[in-house]
Amino acid sequence: MTRYPAPDINDLPDDIKAKVLEVQEKAGFVPNVFLALARRPAEWRAFFAYHDALMLKEDGSLTKGEREMIVTTTSAANQCLYCVVAHGAILRIYEKKPLVADQVAVNYRKADISPRQKAMLDFAMKVCQRSHEVNDDDFPPLHAHGFSDEDIWDIAAITAFFGLSNRLASFSNMQPNPEFFLMGRVPKAKPAA
């Protein structure tokens, strides 16, 4: 499937192996990106450090769902199958809306999202496709929706980071794990009482 075989988990440096096993414990599987990028440990560490700094931060007004919305929308614009499917699954879970990921991936302007989120995605798409055109006029509409300058930085940084991620996933032919396709679409089976 991938153009670059993933290393065996047992051959990974201890810190990376520990993180991969932690993700496996939490998710129930190892997302392919964790092993695909582990072929270059220094780059893996840098990639996930920046990913976590952007996606797991607790300050600012962007919700986890809005962060995933940016990733899904801009990844669709970049035609990245892996990131649309994987982050679309996370988006569905965070927003508790089984249709939202498909909607924003196809056409966020017609999606069932708030005007604030549409303004956020308008800006993200400008950064994604025409960052050289960003100017001071882009900020007041975002401020009007309650975004601070730091939130705007986050929107742009998430968009830019996933531009990198999209390109790595696409050129390497990274495929989404089958588990991602159903996540957040159908209710989880409740454990028997």
Side-chain angles (χ1 to χ4, degrees):
M1 268 206 259
T2 182
R3 290 186 178 95
Y4 293 86
D8 184 284
I9 193 169
N10 296 311
D11 296 333
L12 298 177
D14 290 341
D15 62 319
I16 295 175
K17 181 178 178 180
K19 181 66 175 174
V20 170
L21 292 174
E22 179 184 319
V23 168
Q24 181 179 32
E25 176 70 25
K26 184 176 178 181
F29 65 100
V30 177
N32 290 337
V33 67
F34 283 89
L35 291 177
L37 298 182
R39 59 187 311 280
R40 293 187 166 200
E43 292 173 30
W44 187 99
R45 291 179 187 103
F47 180 92
F48 283 104
Y50 196 40
H51 171 278
D52 292 354
L54 291 171
M55 301 301 287
L56 303 179
K57 70 184 291 184
E58 296 185 13
D59 59 334
S61 75
L62 294 180
T63 66
K64 288 181 179 181
E66 287 171 337
R67 291 170 193 281
E68 296 296 341
M69 198 175 288
I70 294 165
V71 177
T72 304
T73 303
T74 59
S75 295
N78 291 326
Q79 299 182 48
C80 180
L81 176 65
Y82 184 89
C83 291
V84 169
V85 173
H87 290 275
I90 299 167
L91 169 59
R92 289 189 297 272
I93 291 167
Y94 283 154
E95 291 291 306
K96 297 177 178 46
K97 295 167 92 175
L99 306 180
V100 70
D102 296 329
Q103 292 173 346
V104 299
V106 173
N107 185 350
Y108 74 90
R109 291 171 194 88
K110 294 185 178 187
D112 182 20
I113 59 176
S114 70
R116 167 190 158 89
Q117 291 166 334
K118 285 182 180 158
M120 172 189 77
L121 295 178
D122 283 340
F123 181 70
M125 290 301 292
K126 188 170 185 179
V127 171
C128 176
Q129 298 174 323
R130 304 178 326 279
S131 60
H132 60 283
E133 294 179 12
V134 171
N135 61 58
D136 291 344
D137 294 338
D138 293 307
F139 287 71
L142 293 166
H143 292 148
H145 284 285
F147 292 108
S148 70
D149 286 341
E150 294 305 312
D151 294 330
I152 296 168
W153 180 285
D154 288 342
I155 295 166
I158 292 166
T159 301
F161 175 77
F162 278 92
L164 163 78
S165 180
N166 298 159
R167 285 155 180 81
L168 285 171
S170 292
F171 105 90
S172 67
N173 200 33
M174 192 183 308
Q175 296 297 305
N177 302 65
E179 293 89 343
F180 283 127
F181 288 92
L182 292 181
M183 287 173 57
R185 291 189 195 276
V186 294
K188 278 188 174 182
K190 300 205 190 254

